[in-house]
Amino acid sequence: MRRAVTAAAVLAAVVAVPLTPVASSAASPYKGANTAAVQDDFNGDGYRDLAVGAPDAANGGVDAAGAVVVLYGSKSSVSATRRTVITQASAGIPGDPEEYDRFGQAVTSADLDRDGYADLIVGTPEEAVGSNYSRGSVTVVWGGPDGLKGGTNIAPPSGFGEGMTYCRFGLSLATGDMEGDGAPELGVGSGCEASSYSGPFTRGGQAASRYLEWRVNARGVVMGDVNGDGKSERFWLPGPSDDDLRGSVYADNGALVDDAGTTNWPTELPYADGHAGMVGDINGDGYGDLVTGISSDDSMSGGPAGWAHRGGEIQVLYGSAQGITAGQKPQVYHQDTAGVPGAAEDGDEFGQSLTVGDLDGDGYADVLVGVPGEAVGTHKMAGSAVLLRGSAGGLTTARSAGYTQDTAGVPGSVETGDQFGAAVHLTDLNKDGKLETVVGVPTENSDGCVWIARGSASGPVLNGSVNVCGKASGISVHGVKGYFGAALAGVHVEL
């Protein structure tokens, strides 16, 4: 196991407050809540819903206790009024709101109990457990016909974090059906060991099985079907280490079978790098492809060289009938790549967030990349998002586009430090077969916002696109910014 490098990070402090839940309802579950079409359908009405993390939201006078706001999808997409606000002060949610717990730093979903409703999964990696500072926690909030209500914690496997500190359990989350039985598996990343769970889960949070993947120190976890067999594969991303600042990538080969751990040892992909990632079928061949991001460059490290290309980069490994193999070399994209909008500059953080989905319905998944450190004019860290298109030949820069708050039709105005692109997500919120573009702007004003643009055959429709902001969506702000939009179901890098 590699010893992780300590990486310094500057985080904008934020705050938010709890709200009264408001949920839409459905008479019966929408069939297939574990299918891609309704993965995020928490109330069973057939529309995907949008979970937005506000990890620095306040709870009364408690700074950065954290909150997650779920905006319910509909024929007219989402709005701030159709929502549920979830905090650790909400009825049935375990834990207590405490300063800088940062509930909602990671969010994802799956139908863990197989009742036909997607469940919300929330990572709170900074939460103290007993005297163990930043041990971290993972909370499930159960879906149902009236939306999200009640929850439980998912306990780490036995032996997690023994002899270690600041483990940050819940730093990353991923779900997928690895066994083909309709019950999703859950992978949890941390600053210590990786944790694996097999479904189905009970309402008490017990998984059918679980194990500590002590062979891998994994901050990032990715799940998706890369060999076309209808079952998800899992990849562990340890993050920067002393001998690989760009971050190793391991393919999971299954559970431990003995104390030695040599059987089913994860396969290292020696040519691949990444700190966070996601799977989608970019070239339309029926096999999922692995996209990873490395956003920290040498200018940001304050130490040894060898991080990402200047300004950050993403990599793509293509799936096949054999899956993703150790001999593959990734395609690499950055802002010095011909056709990629923008220019590679120190600290741009290209790849800090990314999401994969078929935005325009042409059968090829596209990649939206967050660049929250990008300067726009004289405004440092104003941020941008870059769209790269899928094609039969793989990811291409043809018809690529870049978006900032200076782009015509995008609401708001360019300001220093807004971090447009800190989180990104592609999802069909109005069930028209085209994906909405969702971009987090967590340091916009005191609360943070998400930009939402309707999907079309030609991409995001900018005219009529909207900002949905934290205060209007029910979070509270006290001593620090609320950071609404810091986490979406698309992935973002946490070191």
Side-chain angles (χ1 to χ4, degrees):
M1 182 168 64
R2 301 182 176 194
R3 181 166 61 87
V5 165
T6 301
V10 178
L11 297 177
V14 204
V15 195
V17 284
L19 283 163
T20 303
V22 178
S24 56
S25 63
S28 60
Y30 187 79
K31 184 178 180 181
N34 278 325
T35 66
V38 288
Q39 180 67 53
D40 306 320
D41 183 11
F42 301 116
N43 60 359
D45 64 355
Y47 292 94
R48 300 187 78 165
D49 307 313
L50 179 64
V52 183
D56 285 5
N59 193 290
V62 180
D63 282 344
V68 177
V69 178
V70 172
L71 306 173
Y72 289 98
S74 71
K75 187 175 181 179
S76 58
S77 189
V78 297
S79 76
T81 58
R82 295 190 308 276
R83 68 177 190 250
T84 294
V85 181
I86 301 161
T87 75
Q88 287 182 302
S90 299
I93 304 302
D96 297 299
E98 299 168 315
E99 279 197 345
Y100 294 96
D101 270 356
R102 307 198 77 229
F103 178 85
Q105 194 170 332
V107 295
T108 192
S109 70
D111 183 9
L112 293 183
D113 59 354
R114 290 196 299 183
D115 67 348
Y117 300 97
D119 307 307
L120 175 67
I121 309 167
V122 181
T124 313
E126 306 302 332
E127 180 156 44
V129 177
S131 60
N132 192 341
Y133 182 72
S134 290
R135 200 292 302 271
S137 67
V138 172
T139 303
V140 178
V141 187
W142 302 109
D146 295 318
L148 291 156
K149 289 185 178 180
T152 189
N153 280 342
I154 302 291
S158 176
F160 175 80
E162 286 184 355
M164 294 179 274
T165 56
Y166 308 109
C167 280
R168 297 185 293 166
F169 179 72
L171 196 62
S172 61
L173 306 164
T175 62
D177 183 3
M178 299 178 68
E179 299 172 358
D181 60 357
E185 277 60 61
L186 170 66
V188 180
S190 76
C192 297
E193 307 101 331
S195 301
S196 301
Y197 302 81
S198 293
F201 290 73
T202 70
R203 283 288 178 117
Q206 288 78 34
S209 65
R210 62 179 180 171
Y211 66 92
L212 184 66
E213 180 52 276
W214 52 262
R215 300 169 297 187
V216 179
N217 175 9
R219 289 174 174 83
V221 56
V222 188
M223 295 176 71
D225 180 9
V226 298
N227 62 6
D229 65 354
K231 302 176 184 179
S232 290
E233 283 70 51
R234 181 161 50 207
F235 300 88
W236 297 112
L237 285 61
S241 58
D242 287 342
D243 59 347
D244 190 354
L245 296 174
R246 296 162 62 82
S248 302
V249 180
Y250 289 91
D252 190 324
N253 288 318
L256 303 164
V257 296
D258 54 46
D259 291 340
T262 54
T263 304
N264 296 339
W265 194 278
T267 300
E268 183 171 9
L269 306 180
Y271 300 108
D273 310 288
H275 297 160
M278 201 167 186
V279 169
D281 186 4
I282 291 170
N283 57 4
D285 63 356
Y287 304 108
D289 309 310
L290 175 63
V291 185
T292 61
I294 315 125
S295 59
S296 296
D297 61 22
D298 290 350
S299 73
M300 302 169 64
S301 70
W307 294 74
H309 182 90
R310 184 185 185 190
E313 67 185 73
I314 65 167
Q315 299 187 359
V316 183
L317 286 165
Y318 292 94
S320 68
Q322 292 74 43
I324 292 174
T325 62
Q328 288 180 248
K329 295 184 178 180
Q331 291 183 344
V332 180
Y333 300 81
H334 41 68
Q335 288 184 296
D336 277 336
T337 301
V340 174
E345 300 166 315
D346 289 348
D348 277 349
E349 297 184 285
F350 182 90
Q352 164 64 25
S353 62
L354 62 89
T355 184
V356 185
D358 183 5
L359 186 146
D360 51 9
D362 65 355
Y364 305 106
D366 309 300
V367 180
L368 184 66
V369 183
V371 198
E374 180 108 80
V376 180
T378 60
H379 297 285
K380 296 181 179 180
M381 294 187 71
S384 71
V386 170
L387 177 64
L388 303 177
R389 303 283 189 156
S391 73
L395 196 63
T396 176
T397 62
R399 298 190 300 132
S400 62
Y403 307 95
T404 74
Q405 288 186 300
D406 201 30
T407 302
V410 176
S413 58
V414 171
E415 298 169 307
T416 297
D418 274 352
Q419 297 186 79
F420 183 93
V424 292
H425 187 34
L426 294 172
T427 182
D428 184 4
L429 298 170
N430 60 4
K431 209 166 59 172
D432 67 351
K434 306 296 188 297
L435 305 187
E436 274 69 52
T437 295
V438 185
V439 176
V441 199
T443 41
E444 175 89 9
N445 304 322
S446 65
D447 50 350
C449 301
V450 291
W451 171 57
I452 303 173
R454 181 170 55 85
S456 74
S458 59
V461 178
L462 304 189
N463 290 335
S465 64
V466 298
N467 276 348
V468 177
C469 298
K471 288 181 180 178
S473 300
I475 73 161
S476 297
V477 175
H478 185 246
V480 293
K481 290 190 174 186
Y483 230 44
F484 179 83
L488 298 166
V491 298
H492 60 279
V493 173
E494 293 279 2
L495 297 179

